[in-house]
Amino acid sequence: MWFTQALYYGLCWLPWNGRQAVLFDLVERKFYIFGLVFWPQDVFFLAVLLIISAYALFLFTAVGGRLWCGYACPQTVYTEIFMWIEQKIEGNHNARIRLDRQSMNARKASLRGLKYAAWAAVALWTGFTFVGYFTPIQTLWNELWQFSLGPWETFWFLFYGGFTYLMAGHMREQVCLYMCPYARFQGVMFDPDTLVITYDPERGEPRGARSRKIDYRAKGLGDCVDCGICVQVCPTGIDIRNGLQYECIGCAACVDACDQVMDKVGYRRGLIRYTTENAMEQHWGWKDILAHIVRPRILIYTSILAVITVAFVWGLATKATLRVDVIRDRATLAREVEDGLIENVYRLQVMNVSESPQRYVLSTMGLDRIQLMAEPIMDVPAATTKSFTVQVRVPPESAKKGSHTIYFDVKSTIDEKVAVHEKATFLMP
Amino acid sequence: MQRLIWIFWPAFVVAGVAEILFFTMIDPKELYLFGEPVRLSPLATYSIGFLGFWMVCAASNLLTCFMMRSADEVNRRKDRGGQGGSSRRTCG
């Protein structure tokens, strides 16, 4: 959990090649992720990345239940940070209940004020970090202290911060219950070999209060003393003894609470524990549970995930660093120039997707004695698109009337492998 | 509260997707508003775009919620006043 947050708060401050390492520059429509630069044309990679994330989620859910919720979900993570602050300032659960019952006094007011201020600070910092992924955070930081933040930056900063405060401070598990789509469909990824929080009914039932002096087993009672603490500690307010329910976020609060009770009454721990349905029924140990991780469902998820990931990495590694779009100039279709040559005009959009400035050489081919009337050297700065107007001339005897295919070749002078062979049409009047 | 969540939360998610799809394909610098090029800063265009998508989706959810109310809940008669609370479960 601390890992994801260190990543979130820290990554936007990391420099890379004289710019922010991870920056989603909306204004320039370029996304920088370390050495990679993504343009709107690369949306395909985003789609693949989403598919990979979905399969990873399926896989982790099938193996370990709601791992996502406890370790990565921002909702849970911020709720935990906020609860941690609450505990540090107002004390443990019982101290907080006592504080709640008190009428307003100086101590309560100061504790509450401190708590809300600390929450607000975390929320605002979160909001600031969020905006820092879209506007360079160094600039943003300076602007913040000069009170010159742009109106929309301020809006998103307060919007994100405000919602963090609301969700983590006040809504908490309500979000999981009413807003989370994952909670609703995670059930389909479960099978009897998925690790979940489970109550052992065979051991616990029939539940009931009992005197310490009597032998409860002789009276036909199970290990559950029906203290109800598992229900009290449950953040979503369910009774785990009724079986697995979609509200269960796998926080294991009931496991810890029940173990404490079991220690107190002197019974064996693990009446509520992290295990699988099969293991519970067939009294397996951890060895059997681990052995059952390898099953068709898991193998299928893993192999699909592996294939897509390899394809993704391969796609990234071979991502073209040069793109050329040829657009025919619409104003002048074709015209006759001096010496009776026929001229067509094109606009070349040269996109240097690499991180260094490039010099390209342009050439053309496809028709007999075809001539390029423009400067064949094109300099394009790093990660920029530059537009060049290019005239191409052909003697009238080279081709018949109509449209003909010609090619533009754009080659980098720095790296020979970087070359584009682009088709265009030449009109002969 | 639950009703507000039902209206605004799914709208927020869908608006996020719509925003990404829309602005991946369309550069805000190339947008026209009533025949005039949009003069807002790109950040403003993105933001207004998102809020716009959000509101449109929320309006749709609002209608859905309204239509999911049963006849009894819409025409709440006085002698059934006590059933008012049940509308929570059926959205709207």
Side-chain angles (χ1 to χ4, degrees):
Chain A
M1 177 190 123
W2 296 111
F3 170 74
T4 54
Q5 285 317 291
L7 203 67
Y8 173 71
Y9 290 118
L11 205 55
C12 51
W13 293 97
L14 196 73
W16 188 275
N17 274 353
R19 58 161 170 85
Q20 195 169 316
V22 179
L23 177 68
F24 305 110
D25 192 340
L26 292 177
V27 178
E28 295 294 326
R29 296 172 71 73
K30 270 175 246 165
F31 287 3
Y32 301 94
I33 298 171
F34 296 98
L36 296 164
V37 185
F38 291 93
W39 302 57
Q41 289 83 341
D42 296 322
V43 68
F44 171 74
F45 286 106
L46 178 72
V48 177
L49 193 65
L50 287 179
I51 297 173
I52 291 178
S53 313
Y55 269 103
L57 189 67
F58 293 170
L59 177 63
F60 290 136
T61 307
V63 173
R66 296 175 75 161
L67 287 174
W68 156 261
C69 300
Y71 297 99
C73 175
Q75 175 60 29
T76 324
V77 168
Y78 289 116
T79 301
E80 282 196 21
I81 293 176
F82 274 48
M83 276 162 70
W84 180 78
I85 293 174
E86 192 168 57
Q87 201 150 18
K88 288 281 163 218
I89 293 175
E90 293 186 345
N92 63 18
H93 185 64
N94 293 330
R96 286 206 303 278
I97 291 177
R98 275 202 301 279
L99 193 71
D100 269 338
R101 291 210 185 108
Q102 283 171 19
S103 55
M104 194 47 92
N105 55 34
R107 185 176 161 271
K108 185 173 177 177
S110 61
L111 281 181
R112 280 284 144 92
L114 192 64
K115 178 176 87 173
Y116 293 141
W119 281 2
V122 174
L124 286 177
W125 188 244
T126 309
F128 180 78
T129 309
F130 175 73
V131 180
Y133 278 101
F134 297 94
T135 308
I137 200 157
Q138 290 288 351
T139 326
L140 208 63
W141 182 246
N142 296 334
E143 280 178 356
L144 183 70
W145 296 113
Q146 292 157 7
F147 298 101
S148 60
L149 270 187
W152 286 105
E153 275 126 5
T154 318
F155 171 78
W156 288 113
F157 164 43
L158 296 178
F159 181 89
Y160 199 85
F163 269 94
T164 307
Y165 187 95
L166 185 71
M167 297 298 164
H170 297 289
M171 300 281 292
R172 299 203 172 164
E173 284 77 14
Q174 302 295 316
V175 175
C176 312
L177 291 185
Y178 301 115
M179 293 169 69
C180 179
Y182 171 61
R184 308 278 167 131
F185 67 70
Q186 37 114 3
V188 300
M189 293 170 252
F190 280 24
D191 58 27
D193 287 316
T194 301
L195 282 166
V196 285
I197 309 272
T198 329
Y199 163 72
D200 191 344
E202 204 182 302
R203 206 187 123 189
E205 299 297 319
R207 66 185 85 155
R210 73 281 315 264
S211 153
R212 277 198 185 209
K213 289 168 204 137
I214 60 157
D215 178 12
Y216 66 97
R217 282 191 208 272
K219 282 195 95 184
L221 284 171
D223 278 357
C224 176
V225 296
D226 207 12
C227 58
I229 288 178
C230 54
V231 183
Q232 278 175 38
V233 297
C234 178
T236 60
I238 57 168
D239 187 344
I240 191 70
R241 295 173 297 178
N242 296 338
L244 185 68
Q245 293 140 76
Y246 92 85
E247 290 93 340
C248 174
I249 54 170
C251 68
C254 53
V255 174
D256 298 338
C258 187
D259 279 348
Q260 279 174 21
V261 173
M262 289 294 113
D263 288 350
K264 225 180 264 174
V265 295
Y267 301 165
R268 192 157 48 85
R269 283 180 165 210
L271 181 57
I272 304 175
R273 62 180 185 270
Y274 204 48
T275 183
T276 72
E277 196 185 316
N278 277 341
M280 183 73 81
E281 275 170 9
Q282 293 162 34
H283 308 283
W284 288 344
W286 275 102
K287 223 168 157 187
D288 294 308
I289 295 177
L290 291 179
H292 278 81
I293 285 181
V294 184
R295 52 188 190 268
R297 179 194 282 258
I298 303 297
L299 291 178
I300 291 169
Y301 283 154
T302 315
S303 44
I304 295 177
L305 192 62
V307 168
I308 305 176
T309 311
V310 168
F312 182 74
V313 172
W314 182 77
L316 276 185
T318 55
K319 197 159 91 78
T321 54
L322 166 68
R323 286 205 195 108
V324 179
D325 272 336
V326 182
I327 306 154
R328 277 188 52 83
D329 191 81
R330 292 188 192 280
T332 51
L333 282 176
R335 63 179 177 206
E336 199 176 326
V337 288
E338 64 255 46
D339 308 332
L341 295 174
I342 306 298
E343 184 181 85
N344 275 207
V345 183
Y346 302 87
R347 218 175 66 212
L348 262 62
Q349 291 253 339
V350 182
M351 211 183 259
N352 175 9
V353 194
S354 76
E355 280 248 72
S356 50
Q358 293 280 345
R359 169 165 288 188
Y360 302 110
V361 183
L362 176 69
S363 59
T364 178
M365 59 171 91
L367 286 171
D368 204 20
R369 282 190 289 150
I370 189 165
Q371 292 173 39
L372 196 65
M373 295 311 292
E375 174 67 39
I377 299 292
M378 302 190 291
D379 283 311
V380 185
T384 350
T385 306
K386 229 171 142 182
S387 182
F388 298 88
T389 307
V390 173
Q391 294 92 11
V392 175
R393 289 181 185 177
V394 170
E397 60 274 15
S398 291
K400 279 184 247 161
K401 206 177 149 190
S403 69
H404 304 272
T405 305
I406 60 163
Y407 295 94
F408 285 105
D409 268 323
V410 181
K411 282 191 183 122
S412 166
T413 53
I414 298 160
D415 185 354
E416 274 187 7
K417 277 180 236 150
V418 179
V420 168
H421 188 63
E422 194 67 29
K423 209 157 113 179
T425 45
F426 189 92
L427 281 185
M428 213 60 171
Chain B
M1 189 66 197
Q2 218 161 316
R3 216 174 301 166
L4 284 179
I5 292 174
W6 275 328
I7 293 171
F8 286 105
W9 169 243
F12 184 85
V13 177
V14 177
V17 176
E19 167 97 355
I20 293 170
L21 288 179
F22 184 82
F23 285 111
T24 308
M25 291 183 271
I26 290 159
D27 188 334
K29 282 171 221 145
E30 285 164 14
L31 279 178
Y32 281 81
L33 193 68
F34 302 119
E36 296 269 314
V38 176
R39 282 201 204 88
L40 298 163
S41 77
L43 210 55
T45 318
Y46 288 123
S47 306
I48 293 168
F50 177 74
L51 295 178
F53 279 132
W54 192 12
M55 288 307 117
V56 169
C57 295
S60 154
N61 290 349
L62 187 74
L63 270 181
T64 309
C65 270
F66 179 69
M67 286 178 174
M68 278 182 72
R69 285 158 58 124
S70 66
D72 269 358
E73 285 161 339
V74 177
N75 309 310
R76 208 175 289 156
R77 269 177 271 159
K78 272 196 183 139
D79 55 303
R80 293 193 185 168
Q83 285 198 341
S86 67
S87 66
R88 283 195 152 244
R89 263 183 285 119
T90 49
C91 175

